[in-house]
Amino acid sequence: MAAQIVIAPLLIALFTAIATLPLRRFPRAQRAASVLGALAYLGAVALLAGRVADESILVYQLSAWPSPFGITLVADALSLFMLGLTAIVSLASVAFSARFMSGFAQRISYHTLYHLMVVGITGSFLTGDIFNLFVWFEVMLLSSYVLVAFYSGPEHTRAALTYTVLNLLGSALMLLAIGGLYATVGTLNMADMARRLATPAQFGVDPVPVLGLTVLLFCVFALKAGIVPFQFWVPAAYRAAPAPVTAMLAGVVKKVGIYAIIRLYFTVFAAATLPAGLGLPGFVGNDFLSFFGPIMFVMAAGSILLGGIGAVSRDDLDGVLAYSSIGQIGFVVLPLAVAATVPEVRPLAIAAALVYALNHGLTKSMLFLASGTVKEAVGSVRFERIGGLAKRTPVLSIGFFMGAISLIGIPPLSGFFGKLLVFRTTAHAGALGGRGGAVALGLSLVGAILTIAYFSRAWNRGFWGTESEGVRTATYAPSLVVIVVALAGLLLLVGVGFDPVLRAAEAAADIALDRQAYVDAVLEGLQ
């Protein structure tokens, strides 16, 4: 009976999506149902977290079909860490939507599409097999395609088309890789796949084609996360989508790709070993992670540098935040690259990546909501038209400032601990003799300097600049400002009370690396 709670967040999100559809003729009831659904989702995630804290791993088999034959949902510390981020950002974004989106926009299925996106996100974090990961990806992406194009202007349609085409190509590639894995390994259940890859001779598995197929999957997850060189869709899509949708895209949807990398490559594919001679030159190790480590490092470096330089050169707030998201996701991937190449720091490195992902999710969603508040009041987020915001709306400006310095890494905000853990991971890797540790540390410092540069420029030009006519005459919605400030306060709360967050991240990292515990819980003695 306890395992059935695993499906509760999924059912609540689905029920909310369905319930908001017939309420289109009753706008107040529709908005209330949408917000109450998000609150119920948060409550279900909190209850599930309590059960996982007691039992470590909860497994639910749909229709009582046993693993590895049936559809499996798995809740553990890693999936709950990501679901917690989803619940918080989703609640803030849907509450923001109730005031921000026009009445007509909300009546034409906005809330239904929004909660269907949450359904896809939730399923992605809970699924226990790779094919259903593809299914939940598609549920999430089909909704997001429409939401990116929601305003239907030329710019929005162009951005949505790019976003849709790239992700459809990624989905086709993912399905091809999944079919190949099934043909090669003989299963799609993640726990069963880990078991077979750990003893390939027993099951007749050739690891060489598996490695090639995992490369295809990695490209798909990098595309979903917007990691260089698959970041092309990010700036246009983030500018085109409504602010609360962009908050979800940057704060949560990107993290689905990161979660998939951690779950599959550190829990499942790490069980496989490479034949002699297939590792990259100069890197020690014969497991799959020794192959992906340097690849992740190059992609993290490209993301940090391209995102940071791109953000410095933007002339509008949304552009700065969009390119910043590319750079900041590099800070999440960097410790994962270190974890892949230096096994001794894997628990610390994965915890660092998760803490940074949490801070980025909370902070970037808040900053995009702040940008949406400004755009709704002033009509633009170009710096020459939003000068003087600090004087005109100091409360909103303080919220934005807290988000900026959190991403920079100033204590006691949550971002300080994310940056600290990334620096600590790279420093430990260097001290242990891991190749690239010093380079990774230097890259982190360069990225931090770029973050200071683009947020200082945005603050000076947009908030401390000469007060524009639009800013002087604008009226800022108090309810939207309250939501932004509430998220800013949460950044402070997470920073001041960081110890539980760190323990949760460490538990998530430990369970991601404890392959045997995952296999035993899901397969229930099948071995």
Side-chain angles (χ1 to χ4, degrees), residues 239 306-316 319-320 323 383 454 457 461:
R239 286 172 170 170
L306 187 147
I309 294 171
V312 169
S313 64
R314 297 303 102 183
D315 291 320
D316 65 291
V320 170
Y323 276 92
F383 291 138
Y454 60 70
R457 183 172 177 269
R461 294 190 62 188

Side-chain angles (χ1 to χ4, degrees), residues 157-233:
T157 305
R158 189 183 309 113
L161 182 62
T162 302
Y163 176 65
T164 302
V165 169
L166 286 174
N167 278 281
L168 285 176
L169 289 173
S171 296
L173 195 64
M174 184 176 182
L175 194 58
L176 177 67
I178 289 171
L181 284 171
Y182 183 70
T184 307
V185 184
T187 185
L188 294 176
N189 182 279
M190 294 180 188
D192 195 32
M193 186 173 290
R195 177 175 69 115
R196 291 169 181 243
L197 290 176
T199 54
Q202 179 182 346
F203 295 96
V205 176
D206 184 359
V208 177
V210 174
L211 175 62
L213 294 166
T214 59
V215 171
L216 294 182
L217 272 184
F218 187 84
C219 292
V220 175
F221 299 146
L223 173 65
K224 309 300 184 188
I227 307 168
V228 169
F230 304 102
Q231 84 294 344
F232 302 105
W233 61 270

Side-chain angles (χ1 to χ4, degrees), residues 14-161:
L14 180 60
F15 177 79
T16 305
I18 296 171
T20 55
L21 197 57
L23 293 174
R24 287 181 294 175
R25 295 184 178 182
F26 311 97
R28 289 185 179 180
Q30 185 190 49
R31 291 194 294 268
S34 185
V35 174
L36 287 174
L39 277 169
Y41 181 89
L42 177 61
V45 170
L47 286 174
L48 183 56
R51 293 293 181 88
V52 168
D54 293 335
E55 303 184 36
S56 183
I57 302 176
L58 288 176
V59 179
Y60 180 70
Q61 308 289 355
L62 269 69
S63 300
W65 280 81
S67 292
F69 310 107
I71 297 175
T72 304
L73 299 179
V74 184
D76 58 14
L78 177 58
S79 56
L80 260 295
F81 193 90
M82 305 309 293
L83 284 174
L85 171 63
T86 304
I88 294 170
V89 175
S90 176
L91 177 58
S93 297
V94 80
F96 192 92
S97 300
R99 168 60 180 82
F100 180 82
M101 302 299 294
S102 69
F104 175 75
Q106 296 188 57
R107 286 195 300 274
I108 57 172
S109 305
Y110 172 84
H111 290 284
T112 298
L113 290 166
Y114 180 93
H115 288 285
L116 283 175
M117 182 170 66
V118 176
V119 169
I121 294 168
T122 306
S124 298
F125 290 147
L126 290 175
T127 187
D129 71 85
I130 297 179
F131 179 75
N132 280 290
L133 179 64
F134 166 79
V135 172
W136 293 120
F137 267 30
E138 291 308 294
V139 173
M140 173 184 72
L141 291 169
L142 284 171
S143 303
S144 66
Y145 297 152
V146 183
L147 291 170
V148 169
F150 203 77
Y151 287 140
S152 303
E155 176 190 354
H156 314 99
T157 305
R158 189 183 309 113
L161 182 62

